[in-house]
Amino acid sequence: MVIHGGAGTILRSRLTPVMEKAYIDTLTIALRTGYEILQRGGSSLDAVEAAIRIMEDCPLFNAGKGAVFTANGVNELDASIMDGKTLGAGAVAAVEHVKNPISLARMVMEKSPHVMMVGSGAEEFAKTQGVKLVPPYYFWTERRWRGFEAARARADSGKTTALPGEGNHFGTVGAVALDKAGNLAAGTSTGGTEMKRYGRVGDSPIIGAGTYANNLSCAVSGTGDGEFFIRNNVAADICARVRYSGVSLQQAADDVVMKELVAQHGGGGVIAMDRTGNIATPFNTEGMYRAWVTSDGKITVRIYKD
Amino acid sequence: MVIHGGAGTILRSRLTPVMEKAYIDTLTIALRTGYEILQRGGSSLDAVEAAIRIMEDCPLFNAGKGAVFTANGVNELDASIMDGKTLGAGAVAAVEHVKNPISLARMVMEKSPHVMMVGSGAEEFAKTQGVKLVPPYYFWTERRWRGFEAARARADSGKTTALPGEGNHFGTVGAVALDKAGNLAAGTSTGGTEMKRYGRVGDSPIIGAGTYANNLSCAVSGTGDGEFFIRNNVAADICARVRYSGVSLQQAADDVVMKELVAQHGGGGVIAMDRTGNIATPFNTEGMYRAWVTSDGKITVRIYKD
């Protein structure tokens, strides 16, 4: 199992030891929670959902509580999940009152004939499933609000166009897992980009772009400049390279993230796992919060390039 | 250039000669309009947009005017367009006041840093681009309203759960083209499925699912059971097979539409064109409105399987 908590300009010089420890601790808890499910014979879907829920609930990441604010000063959340065995998939975009968007995405997959639901319609569906909606201020954190106010001030002063996608830090979270039955799953959850406007939807809820899983190839979750991930169909393209070109997972992931995205100046990274348990975690940014566990149960957490 | 006006249960016995002629005439006009742009040396993007606009404006197709109604009795429109040369892409979903969603999708691609915008946010962006919004009744047609009332009556009587995706007729429109400069483009536009609920988004606005174009492989536009097209990443998967497996366009399109989708009971079809001008138009339904023009300028229009 592999998880990520976003890629971006994460420099040792900027992250205080306290913050660094908080990230490492949360990544460890999220990974261990998912891994224990796998150890008990649980499904990769359950492991992916459980690990992402922990990161959604943690204010450190740009997903669920702690999400960044849109230009209108609200939090709009996106998430998606995919089952590599059945190709079942679920996604929600632009929801504002759902504590754990990854779990709603799973309900879309399992309790509806659909794959994707957006906005208030998705929340109407949530209510039919007994999901208790939360008030918008549940997602509020001082850190993100300060970021929003600073960004808004820069926009008002005309010093920046404050267009989304310009941020150099991403906090999208994601997970990929392989269970004892040999089934792959992938999931991704995000608050999108700070100051985003116009109902912008990034790659996280787009099956094929931010998330893809197929037992015939691999499972992938991405984080970065969403527009580049959509145009390059990043998650599914890595799977397609493994399936059709016969290259290794590492090669496929590196070719997409370190060559194609870099050539287009698209920043970001992915976590990927193939059906034999090989993993790859390439990123072309300064850092990516990431953690994985090997078959002997050893957990590794990394933030920077080393 | 190839266009489509939807796949589904289109039987000769059900289509009157007058209706049949109307479909053939409109497909011919749409195709000729796009083809004349290509003949004059115009771009494949211009040709795709122009052909789709004509089908959006025509009440026969489930896109733009003539779109089906959602469970709430409104029209929610989705569209996407992609440039095979740059991988530039634009998409809008769940817009209710935009006469030509395909043109708004193109503005998202060319006039914003984003790929996808949804709902009222997309319409807010449209206004910044000088797009005049239309009132909801612009999209109203007697035929679709009757269909909606009949579906609602069935739902109220409990004879059907009226879940979307159960309809056996689709009227999504799309186009793919190759211009004199050797650039591919693809576009798709739809009103979605009748009686759809919960802000459901289908494959048409999903780059990789309903639409994909890459000069390295091919351009594809799909129509059918949207959920299956998303899960199978249909448009991009056909491109990936051409690019990585080295199979012909026909083989790639057939393998996805006639094998993978059929095995999953996913109905629909695609139009596809590769960089040398080969075309493929497989569908696994009774019929698909489609038309293409060969390099000698000969136009062919087909509706049924023969």
Side-chain angles (χ1 to χ4, degrees):
Chain A
M1 178 163 196
V2 192
I3 63 172
H4 72 78
T9 308
I10 310 165
L11 298 170
R12 234 187 214 105
S13 53
R14 291 214 211 136
L15 208 58
T16 64
V18 171
M19 283 289 274
E20 188 176 297
K21 183 171 185 312
Y23 275 108
I24 291 170
D25 287 351
T26 310
L27 288 166
T28 305
I29 292 166
L31 183 66
R32 186 168 289 146
T33 302
Y35 183 62
E36 282 172 4
I37 290 170
L38 296 173
Q39 284 288 91
R40 289 198 306 268
S43 73
S44 51
L45 275 175
D46 284 344
V48 162
E49 182 186 356
I52 291 178
R53 281 178 68 103
I54 286 170
M55 292 186 282
E56 284 178 338
D57 292 346
C58 170
L60 288 171
F61 304 98
N62 176 23
K65 185 167 183 71
V68 298
F69 289 86
T70 71
N72 294 328
V74 298
N75 306 103
E76 285 181 0
L77 311 169
D78 307 334
S80 65
I81 193 165
M82 187 160 185
D83 179 350
K85 180 187 179 189
T86 62
L87 299 187
V92 293
V95 296
E96 298 179 25
H97 307 87
V98 177
K99 183 171 174 280
N100 292 109
I102 193 69
S103 296
L104 183 58
R106 186 163 179 191
M107 287 174 200
V108 171
M109 172 172 84
E110 294 179 344
K111 311 287 186 187
S112 92
H114 300 314
V115 169
M116 188 174 195
M117 297 183 185
V118 301
S120 58
E123 299 190 344
E124 204 183 305
F125 171 74
K127 282 189 271 185
T128 71
Q129 299 300 310
V131 174
K132 221 178 135 182
L133 301 185
V134 295
Y137 60 77
Y138 163 77
F139 300 104
W140 189 94
T141 57
E142 188 177 351
R143 178 185 175 206
R144 298 299 189 192
W145 186 254
R146 278 190 190 166
F148 167 67
E149 292 209 311
R152 195 167 52 175
R154 281 194 304 276
D156 289 348
S157 70
K159 275 186 192 151
T160 166
T161 55
L163 281 173
E166 291 180 353
N168 57 7
H169 176 83
F170 314 96
T172 297
V173 306
V176 297
L178 173 68
D179 61 29
K180 288 186 175 174
N183 295 317
L184 289 163
T188 310
S189 181
T190 191
T193 55
E194 189 168 64
M195 289 290 283
K196 72 182 171 191
R197 292 187 296 181
Y198 305 136
R200 177 259 188 188
V201 171
D203 63 311
S204 300
I206 305 294
I207 298 298
T211 302
Y212 207 72
N214 185 338
N215 277 3
L216 295 177
S217 48
C218 59
V220 180
S221 169
T223 169
D225 290 321
E227 279 69 17
F228 289 88
F229 277 65
I230 299 177
R231 293 180 197 120
N232 289 280
N233 196 41
V234 164
D237 190 35
I238 292 171
C239 295
R241 287 166 188 254
V242 168
R243 185 173 171 194
Y244 305 128
S245 293
V247 297
S248 69
L249 182 78
Q250 187 72 54
Q251 178 85 47
D254 281 350
D255 284 348
V256 171
V257 175
M258 310 308 283
K259 289 183 186 167
E260 303 227 340
L261 286 181
V262 167
Q264 298 168 41
H265 308 290
V270 304
I271 54 171
M273 178 172 249
D274 71 16
R275 54 184 171 165
T276 59
N278 292 311
I279 69 165
T281 62
F283 56 96
N284 60 36
T285 49
E286 294 294 327
M288 179 168 80
Y289 300 107
R290 60 204 189 278
W292 62 89
V293 54
T294 37
S295 52
D296 56 359
K298 189 172 168 286
I299 285 180
T300 307
V301 184
R302 289 277 185 277
I303 300 178
Y304 314 104
K305 274 189 182 161
D306 49 278
Chain B
M1 177 163 198
V2 192
I3 63 172
H4 72 77
T9 309
I10 309 166
L11 298 170
R12 237 188 211 103
S13 55
R14 291 213 210 139
L15 207 59
T16 65
V18 171
M19 282 289 274
E20 188 176 298
K21 184 173 183 311
Y23 275 108
I24 291 171
D25 287 352
T26 309
L27 288 166
T28 305
I29 292 166
L31 183 65
R32 184 168 291 146
T33 302
Y35 183 62
E36 282 172 3
I37 290 170
L38 297 173
Q39 284 289 92
R40 290 198 307 267
S43 73
S44 51
L45 275 174
D46 284 344
V48 162
E49 181 186 357
I52 291 177
R53 282 179 69 104
I54 286 170
M55 292 187 283
E56 284 178 340
D57 292 346
C58 171
L60 289 171
F61 303 98
N62 176 24
K65 187 170 182 69
V68 297
F69 290 86
T70 70
N72 293 328
V74 298
N75 306 104
E76 284 182 1
L77 311 169
D78 305 334
S80 65
I81 193 165
M82 187 158 184
D83 179 349
K85 181 186 179 189
T86 62
L87 298 188
V92 294
V95 296
E96 298 179 25
H97 307 88
V98 177
K99 183 171 173 278
N100 291 108
I102 193 69
S103 296
L104 183 57
R106 187 163 177 190
M107 287 174 200
V108 171
M109 173 172 83
E110 294 179 343
K111 311 286 187 188
S112 92
H114 301 313
V115 169
M116 188 174 196
M117 298 183 186
V118 301
S120 58
E123 299 191 342
E124 203 183 306
F125 171 74
K127 283 189 272 185
T128 70
Q129 299 299 310
V131 174
K132 221 178 136 180
L133 300 186
V134 295
Y137 59 76
Y138 163 77
F139 300 103
W140 190 92
T141 57
E142 190 178 349
R143 179 188 175 204
R144 298 300 190 192
W145 186 253
R146 279 190 190 167
F148 168 66
E149 292 210 310
R152 195 168 51 174
R154 282 195 303 274
D156 289 347
S157 71
K159 276 185 191 153
T160 164
T161 54
L163 281 173
E166 291 180 350
N168 56 7
H169 177 84
F170 314 96
T172 298
V173 306
V176 296
L178 174 67
D179 61 30
K180 289 185 176 177
N183 295 317
L184 290 163
T188 311
S189 181
T190 191
T193 56
E194 191 167 63
M195 288 291 282
K196 73 182 172 192
R197 292 187 295 182
Y198 307 134
R200 176 259 189 188
V201 171
D203 62 310
S204 300
I206 305 295
I207 298 298
T211 302
Y212 207 73
N214 186 337
N215 277 3
L216 295 178
S217 50
C218 58
V220 180
S221 169
T223 169
D225 289 319
E227 278 69 17
F228 290 88
F229 277 65
I230 299 177
R231 293 180 195 120
N232 288 279
N233 197 236
V234 165
D237 190 34
I238 292 172
C239 295
R241 286 166 188 254
V242 167
R243 184 173 172 193
Y244 305 128
S245 293
V247 297
S248 69
L249 182 77
Q250 187 73 52
Q251 178 84 49
D254 281 350
D255 285 348
V256 172
V257 175
M258 310 308 282
K259 288 183 187 167
E260 303 227 340
L261 286 181
V262 166
Q264 297 169 41
H265 308 289
V270 304
I271 56 172
M273 179 172 248
D274 70 15
R275 55 184 170 163
T276 60
N278 292 311
I279 69 166
T281 62
F283 56 97
N284 59 36
T285 50
E286 294 294 330
M288 179 167 80
Y289 300 107
R290 59 205 190 278
W292 61 89
V293 54
T294 38
S295 52
D296 56 0
K298 191 173 166 284
I299 286 179
T300 307
V301 185
R302 290 276 186 277
I303 299 178
Y304 313 105
K305 275 189 180 162
D306 50 272

